[in-house]
Amino acid sequence: MQVSRRCNSTKFFSAMVVLAMAALGSATAGAQTRHQQPDLSKMPWMNKSLSPDQRADLVVKQMTLDEKIQMVHGDGWGVLRPGAPLDPRSNFGAGFVHGIDRLGIPDLNLADSAVGIRMAAYQGRYATLLPSTLAAACSWDTDAAFLYGSVIGRELRDQGFNMTIGGGVDIMREPRNGRNFEYAGEDPVLAGTMDGYVEKGVLAQHVMSDVKHYAFNDQETGRTEVNVLLDKKAMRESDLLAFQVAIGISDPSGVMCSYNLVNNDYACENDYLLNQVLKKDFHFKGFVLSDWGGTHTTVKAALNGLDEEMPGDDGYFAAPLKQAVLDGKVPQSRLDDMVHRILRSMFAAGVVDNPPIRTVVDPFQGRDDAKHIEEESIVLLKNQDSILPLKAAPSESIALIGGHADVAVLSGGGSAQVDAPNGDAVHPREGGARWGVPVYFPSSPLKYIRKKSPDATISYNDGTDTAAAAEFAKKSSVAIVFVTQWMSEGRDAHTLSLPHNQDALVEAVAAANPNTIVVLETGGPVSMPWADKVKGIVEAWYPGIGGAQALSNILFGTINPSGKLAATFAKDDAQLPHPQIVGMDASTRHGAVYIDGKGHKTQTFDLHYTAGAAVGYKWFEQQHEQPLFPFGFGLSYTTYAYSGLTVDDAARTVHFTVRNTGTRKGTEIAEVYAKLPTAAHEDYKRLVAWQRVELAPGESKDVTLTLNPLYLSVFDTAKDGWQLLPGDYKILAGASSNETPLEATLHVAQ
């Protein structure tokens, strides 16, 4: 009977499969009949010898008004919002824009992909979790940045997407910002350069690129209500300079405008930001898309530079824009420009000529690439008595404590959250991508540390009981405490201090074991009241899916650390320009909405950036404050010496020598800064150049770097342009912003 029922069930299932396949074939045939592919050979804009702008112009001339309107807004929240309508042609990403079938223009399928592709698990897909972009910035390696973008681009293609909406370049004005892990640090030149090469890497895969959030989205507290107030000179020399550098390097497809207001106008309808600076001064040829729900008007937004409304269900650029064009409130020429910018970006990126083809992501290549990037990104902050690298010896005993280091590494949250394979490694039953909850990835430091020293005694304690952890640490020759700081879109940290009483854990372990090392997995800078009580400090950031392997290679010296800080670590909150985040009080702790003391949502609140252009290390130098760890700082297992700085005034180049004075091969990041003439009225130096220099023990290399005039210039508000002041520029070279032993003078003639 059992066999008979099984046979009958099998026959029934087989019959149902046949019927389903027949129905599917019929439906597919019907769909093909309804949406027959047009003959592309008869379309002049498919001529690849024409420029992207020429091809776009030819398409625009053939489009109806309705087709143009269709191109400038998305199709709704889709999978981002439960219950929202989902277009059957959507690729289940963050955004979807209908193409024009009859003209051979494909849909836009956009994906959140700041540190890897979000929501891959929605259809059982896999995506590589890369180290945080803040980590990658600490490599100061443009090749690594290009690789970073290439990983994202190729996996987007493999999953069927044709545009990323990553590319964060907001500089770190607020080190407690929940999204700092998506950005590239505090210096506009470093941040803009690194992000520019990330986006070049994306574009190299024939995927449309994006730079965001334009501009001054530097905190999550009240991000849709905060009104950033800053003069144009300070704007151009800080945050906007980062965007200028990134856009100049990468020529991105899109720039995403931000939620906040800038000088009383929303960023997505801000004429100064979008028309005057981005499109006119930066010569940006691509299109401006709004952050999701960041559009507030129809006519003002269109006239002031917004080209595409996302996700589109607010309807400002749907029927209302069509009516505004018919009524003459928005010129037809402006709508044509909006569409042209989108189309030329599609042609330029190759998504028309080389559309993505769905295939299986290679997780092994992704892991190896992520590991390589992390190996260059880890920053060794302290190494007293050369406690690192660890020795792989049977006599060694190592206690690992805290941070779920037995099974996983931490990742950042929000729209940058990548799905953890097989679910969260710490809480597998709760899924792999939960908004507002930390997600851990299956990369076990304990496992790979044991692999490095298989004969040593290596054990783990979760650190939840401070006294028990200290007692546990006493039994080993070395104690490694893993501390974590989870950060996410939609929230800021209230303080630089580590959460969950982890400072007390470190203090207790350090008191119990004099050979204590701390490994930090953080979204940004943190304070360390215990820094002088431990022997080693390693900043691993959010290390990605290959993080444990990379970390073990650093800890045991297989890889010599070369990363240097892309952001200053303050001693405490009191050292910051704003000791408390503006707009944050007890009533804002539940989310990124500004609420007054009576519990009422306010329309806007002002944030005066009192530091002006003096962000990060510039602020500390201006205030004569000594940070915990300075910008550009990072130790190695070898030592380096600098000598012979000279400057060529005519060529505007600097020359110096770096020598490896230690016994290990290593890579030094040589940094060059400039102090402008007194007429600039700047009491701080600027980063103007750098180079990674690989050196064998005892080896010397000559370094020659060209000084970009833009990085030496001041913005003249009266002339509305950059000015290279005549006079003497002090050029400094060395290992960090606080260690520049070489000085020379660049003279700029009148």
Side-chain angles (χ1 to χ4, degrees):
M1 292 293 292
Q2 290 178 345
V3 173
S4 176
R5 280 199 296 267
R6 186 179 298 119
C7 290
N8 290 337
S9 298
T10 301
K11 291 177 181 178
F12 176 78
F13 178 76
S14 300
M16 292 302 295
V17 168
V18 170
L19 289 172
M21 293 298 292
L24 178 61
S26 176
T28 302
Q32 289 174 342
T33 301
R34 292 192 300 272
H35 302 293
Q36 288 185 350
Q37 290 295 319
D39 186 353
L40 302 183
S41 65
K42 297 181 180 180
M43 300 179 181
W45 51 89
M46 294 302 175
N47 182 351
K48 298 178 185 179
S49 68
L50 299 177
S51 72
D53 287 294
Q54 290 173 319
R55 298 174 75 176
D57 283 339
L58 290 170
V59 177
V60 171
K61 289 177 182 178
Q62 299 298 317
M63 295 175 71
T64 67
L65 175 59
D66 285 338
E67 288 172 334
K68 292 173 183 177
I69 294 296
Q70 181 176 307
M71 287 288 294
V72 298
H73 66 85
D75 199 52
W77 284 90
V79 295
L80 296 182
R81 182 170 289 174
L86 182 64
D87 192 283
R89 288 161 55 162
S90 167
N91 198 43
F92 308 104
F96 176 79
V97 179
H98 265 284
I100 310 300
D101 293 338
R102 72 177 187 89
L103 300 178
I105 303 303
D107 304 328
L108 284 183
N109 272 290
L110 306 90
D112 285 316
S113 41
V115 298
I117 304 169
R118 181 186 177 200
M119 296 190 303
Y122 191 85
Q123 284 197 309
R125 299 177 291 201
Y126 172 86
T128 295
L129 173 68
L130 291 159
S132 66
T133 52
L134 177 57
C138 294
S139 74
W140 300 52
D141 184 353
T142 54
D143 289 339
F146 185 89
L147 175 62
Y148 197 108
S150 298
V151 174
I152 290 173
R154 74 171 183 249
E155 293 193 1
L156 284 168
R157 282 185 62 84
D158 289 347
Q159 292 191 19
F161 294 101
N162 57 11
M163 184 168 181
T164 176
I165 46 173
V169 74
D170 297 86
I171 64 173
M172 194 184 294
R173 283 185 172 272
E174 175 47 72
R176 296 156 296 192
N177 176 13
R179 302 191 79 170
N180 281 334
F181 75 93
E182 300 181 47
Y183 303 146
E186 70 191 26
D187 182 83
V189 176
L190 178 61
T193 299
M194 294 299 287
D195 186 67
Y197 277 93
V198 169
E199 297 315 305
K200 279 179 72 77
V202 171
L203 277 168
Q205 299 295 318
H206 298 303
V207 171
M208 297 170 72
S209 61
D210 176 53
V211 172
K212 67 179 186 183
H213 303 91
Y214 187 77
F216 302 95
N217 184 181
D218 300 325
Q219 66 178 50
E220 289 296 279
T221 299
R223 64 176 178 171
T224 60
E225 292 84 25
V226 62
N227 179 33
V228 172
L229 301 175
L230 196 62
D231 66 84
K232 292 179 180 178
K233 182 179 187 300
M235 292 169 69
R236 295 300 297 268
E237 293 178 4
S238 58
D239 303 60
L240 295 187
L241 177 58
F243 281 95
Q244 183 174 357
V245 172
I247 290 166
I249 289 171
S250 64
D251 188 18
S253 309
V255 168
M256 183 190 296
C257 49
S258 54
Y259 286 125
N260 52 284
L261 298 90
V262 179
N263 291 336
N264 303 310
D265 279 321
Y266 283 105
C268 287
E269 54 185 39
N270 193 301
D271 176 68
Y272 178 72
L273 289 181
L274 303 183
N275 285 334
Q276 298 181 45
V277 176
L278 179 63
K279 295 182 177 179
K280 177 175 172 288
D281 291 353
F282 294 177
H283 307 291
F284 174 60
K285 296 180 180 179
F287 64 103
V288 178
L289 65 157
S290 74
D291 205 338
W292 269 229
T295 308
H296 297 272
T297 60
T298 297
V299 175
K300 181 178 179 180
L303 296 180
N304 286 359
L306 182 64
D307 299 307
E308 186 173 77
E309 177 195 6
M310 295 301 295
D313 58 348
D314 289 331
Y316 292 108
F317 275 19
L321 179 59
K322 179 181 179 180
Q323 192 61 49
V325 172
L326 293 173
D327 293 342
K329 295 178 180 179
V330 174
Q332 179 70 52
S333 60
R334 171 61 189 126
L335 177 61
D336 288 350
D337 176 61
M338 296 159 70
V339 177
H340 171 96
R341 287 174 173 275
I342 298 168
L343 291 169
R344 62 83 51 199
S345 294
M346 297 177 74
F347 284 118
V351 303
V352 178
D353 302 325
N354 299 283
I357 299 174
R358 289 281 293 270
T359 186
V360 178
V361 167
D362 183 344
F364 307 107
Q365 184 181 3
R367 178 204 58 204
D368 291 346
D369 290 340
K371 180 175 76 71
H372 169 71
I373 294 168
E374 174 65 4
E375 286 169 346
E376 291 192 351
S377 304
I378 291 172
V379 184
L380 178 60
L381 295 175
K382 186 175 182 180
N383 194 19
Q384 183 181 332
D385 300 332
S386 297
I387 192 169
L388 292 170
L390 299 172
K391 299 174 180 62
S395 59
E396 290 293 304
S397 57
I398 304 173
L400 271 61
I401 299 169
H404 299 292
D406 56 333
V407 293
V409 296
L410 183 60
S411 64
S415 60
Q417 182 67 68
V418 177
D419 292 327
N422 202 33
D424 181 276
V426 175
H427 307 287
R429 293 184 179 180
E430 297 179 20
R434 298 162 291 157
W435 190 281
V437 179
V439 175
Y440 287 83
F441 272 67
S443 183
S444 165
L446 176 62
K447 173 183 175 181
Y448 288 100
I449 288 173
R450 281 177 171 167
K451 279 190 174 183
K452 286 292 183 182
S453 188
D455 297 324
T457 301
I458 301 171
S459 49
Y460 174 76
N461 178 281
D462 65 14
T464 54
D465 184 323
T466 299
E471 192 64 29
F472 177 77
K474 283 182 181 180
K475 302 172 185 177
S476 297
S477 52
V478 175
I480 306 177
V481 185
F482 285 76
V483 296
T484 60
Q485 176 212 42
W486 180 69
M487 301 292 277
S488 172
E489 176 182 357
R491 64 188 297 275
D492 294 324
H494 288 253
T495 173
L496 292 173
S497 298
L498 288 167
H500 311 308
N501 207 33
Q502 292 178 96
D503 285 333
L505 173 64
V506 176
E507 296 261 7
V509 172
N513 189 322
N515 295 319
T516 294
I517 299 164
V518 176
V519 174
L520 300 112
E521 296 177 44
T522 67
V526 293
S527 57
M528 304 179 205
W530 36 261
D532 60 347
K533 299 174 183 177
V534 300
K535 283 193 175 179
I537 303 174
V538 178
E539 176 57 86
W541 311 105
Y542 297 151
I545 192 63
Q549 296 98 310
L551 178 62
S552 65
N553 283 339
I554 293 288
L555 291 177
F556 282 88
T558 307
I559 300 292
N560 192 348
S562 62
K564 293 195 175 184
L565 292 179
T568 304
F569 277 50
K571 292 177 181 176
D572 52 38
D573 300 85
Q575 281 193 315
L576 302 177
H578 300 285
Q580 180 175 331
I581 295 178
V582 176
M584 178 180 282
D585 58 28
S587 62
T588 64
R589 295 186 181 183
H590 61 276
V593 175
Y594 182 74
I595 298 176
D596 65 21
K598 297 181 179 179
H600 300 128
K601 180 177 176 180
T602 63
Q603 294 301 309
T604 63
F605 66 96
D606 292 342
L607 169 53
H608 295 265
Y609 278 140
T610 53
V615 179
Y617 66 96
K618 300 170 185 175
W619 164 264
F620 280 84
E621 185 173 348
Q622 184 184 74
Q623 301 299 311
H624 306 289
E625 288 272 1
Q626 184 65 34
L628 179 63
F629 295 109
F631 173 84
F633 175 79
L635 299 174
S636 169
Y637 294 149
T638 189
T639 53
Y640 305 98
Y642 288 73
S643 62
L645 177 65
T646 60
V647 176
D648 185 326
D649 290 342
R652 292 193 185 130
T653 56
V654 298
H655 315 265
F656 56 92
T657 300
V658 182
R659 181 166 60 96
N660 184 341
T661 56
T663 59
R664 288 175 176 263
K665 176 183 176 182
T667 299
E668 169 69 336
I669 301 171
E671 304 167 29
V672 178
Y673 296 83
K675 283 191 173 181
L676 274 56
T678 55
H681 304 292
E682 285 186 2
D683 46 3
Y684 50 82
K685 57 181 163 293
R686 301 177 173 190
L687 177 70
V688 291
W690 69 88
Q691 182 171 311
R692 288 176 59 89
V693 186
E694 186 175 321
L695 295 163
E699 183 182 10
S700 296
K701 284 185 180 178
D702 294 330
V703 177
T704 299
L705 295 170
T706 301
L707 302 177
N708 187 328
L710 175 63
Y711 306 160
L712 299 169
S713 298
V714 297
F715 189 80
D716 188 323
T717 304
K719 296 180 180 179
D720 194 31
W722 292 95
Q723 182 181 10
L724 184 65
L725 298 171
D728 290 335
Y729 292 69
K730 182 184 287 187
I731 304 300
L732 308 102
S736 77
S737 61
N738 274 24
E739 186 182 349
T740 50
L742 305 185
E743 292 188 10
T745 301
L746 168 71
H747 181 73
V748 175
Q750 182 72 41

